[in-house]
Amino acid sequence: MSIAESIKSLKKETGEINVALLAVSKTKPAADLQEAYDAGQRLFGENTVQEMVEKQEQLPKDIEWHLIGHLQSNKVKYIAPFISMIQSVDTMKLLQEINKHAEKNKRVIDCLLQIYIADEETKFGLGFDEAIELLRSEEYTALKNIRIRGLMGIATNTDSDKQIKDEYYELKTFFDGIKVSFFRKEDSFDTLSMGMSSDYKLAIEQGSNMVRLGSTIFGSRAKKSV
Ligand SMILES: *Cc1c(COP(=O)(O)O)cnc(C)c1O
């Protein structure tokens, strides 16, 4: 399938059930993103600041850029003027830095807390307890230029559907709990970003409302840069 055909069919599949489709375009050239854009895609995800900034300069300005990779505090300033959502918030320090640069740019930046759900040592993210601690803290309450829109999680890279399902189920349950405990009055806590090419159907079954798809749309990536 071409990029345009993949976008059209995935937009139909996810649109019917109100699941947002994030096109993960890391390592792919701007021309590939343009093809997806021309097929109607507006949400794009990148995992490095440098790649995102380069593409943002070349591509239409109504694209909504989501950062999904680990973000270093000293790089926030490069994306603060235009970023739509930072899905990979995993420390209080980073959140404070995002807030600072959002304020400088006179805007509010939407964020997701990245929650650690995988049975792997290499994945970034907050533990359940750490996320609760962050949301309870006075430091967090003081931040006026960020808005926590929900949670993001990456499941274990495994062939076991059962394990993936269990991890997504846990994250959905946690999401519901956090919503009730901390965001009862805020409709804007509404995004549960879970599911990649290999497991997005399982993620949707478990309650995801945003899937992050790369290879399904753009074809496989060179192994090293995954
Ligand atoms: C690369 C990446 C994706 C997309 O991966 P695919 O398997 O190509 O769909 C989704 N989420 C994150 C955080 C990623 O880094």
Side-chain angles (χ1 to χ4, degrees):
M1 248 197 283
S2 72
I3 292 171
E5 285 166 347
S6 301
I7 289 290
K8 287 192 180 127
S9 109
L10 285 165
K11 275 181 86 76
K12 185 163 185 293
E13 181 184 347
T14 54
E16 279 166 356
I17 49 175
N18 283 319
V19 171
L21 173 64
L22 183 72
V24 176
S25 46
K26 60 191 183 191
T27 80
K28 299 296 177 183
D32 286 9
L33 283 74
Q34 184 69 51
E35 184 179 341
Y37 179 92
D38 292 338
Q41 183 64 21
R42 291 296 178 273
L43 270 54
F44 288 85
E46 290 284 338
N47 68 338
T48 73
V49 166
Q50 189 182 343
E51 231 186 300
M52 180 181 285
V53 169
E54 279 170 17
K55 290 174 186 172
Q56 192 268 340
E57 285 167 359
Q58 297 173 51
L59 289 158
K61 295 301 169 247
D62 61 341
I63 286 179
E64 295 177 32
W65 295 97
H66 289 225
L67 191 81
I68 57 171
H70 182 63
L71 176 58
Q72 288 170 288
S73 294
N74 61 359
K75 294 197 175 154
V76 174
K77 56 177 178 286
Y78 302 115
I79 56 171
F82 68 84
I83 189 84
S84 283
M85 185 181 275
I86 298 175
Q87 297 205 4
S88 43
V89 173
D90 58 359
T91 61
M92 187 63 201
K93 178 171 167 259
L94 177 60
L95 203 54
Q96 287 170 324
E97 195 67 15
I98 296 168
N99 187 75
K100 186 175 101 188
H101 288 284
E103 196 179 348
K104 274 190 190 159
N105 285 277
K106 298 192 169 57
R107 56 185 301 239
V108 173
I109 295 180
D110 284 343
C111 296
L112 302 181
L113 296 180
Q114 181 175 349
I115 305 297
Y116 181 91
I117 52 171
D119 186 17
E120 286 168 20
E121 300 231 327
T122 53
K123 300 256 158 76
F124 291 102
L126 294 156
F128 293 132
D129 293 351
E130 290 172 313
I132 290 170
E133 197 183 317
L134 186 152
L135 292 168
R136 276 200 186 131
S137 69
E138 282 175 26
E139 290 103 310
Y140 164 69
T141 316
L143 303 178
K144 301 299 175 214
N145 291 74
I146 55 101
R147 184 168 65 158
I148 305 280
R149 292 285 308 271
L151 307 178
M152 185 269 263
I154 306 172
T156 303
N157 186 4
T158 169
D159 291 334
S160 165
D161 280 5
K162 162 116 179 35
Q163 181 170 356
I164 294 168
K165 222 172 109 179
D166 287 351
E167 288 172 1
Y168 284 149
Y169 175 79
E170 270 191 59
L171 186 55
K172 165 69 165 138
T173 305
F174 185 66
F175 175 86
D176 291 341
I178 291 289
K179 191 170 170 62
V180 170
S181 306
F182 295 97
F183 298 95
R184 193 188 291 274
K185 296 193 199 96
E186 284 143 276
D187 292 338
S188 57
F189 188 86
D190 60 0
T191 305
L192 181 55
S193 169
M194 51 186 206
M196 319 186 7
S197 292
S198 57
D199 61 19
Y200 77 94
K201 286 179 204 278
L202 285 175
I204 290 171
E205 276 171 26
Q206 297 305 319
S208 166
N209 62 16
M210 182 182 284
V211 292
R212 310 178 306 270
L213 304 186
S215 44
T216 299
I217 297 169
F218 297 105
S220 59
R221 292 176 297 273
K223 260 259 167 335
K224 194 170 163 284
S225 34
V226 170

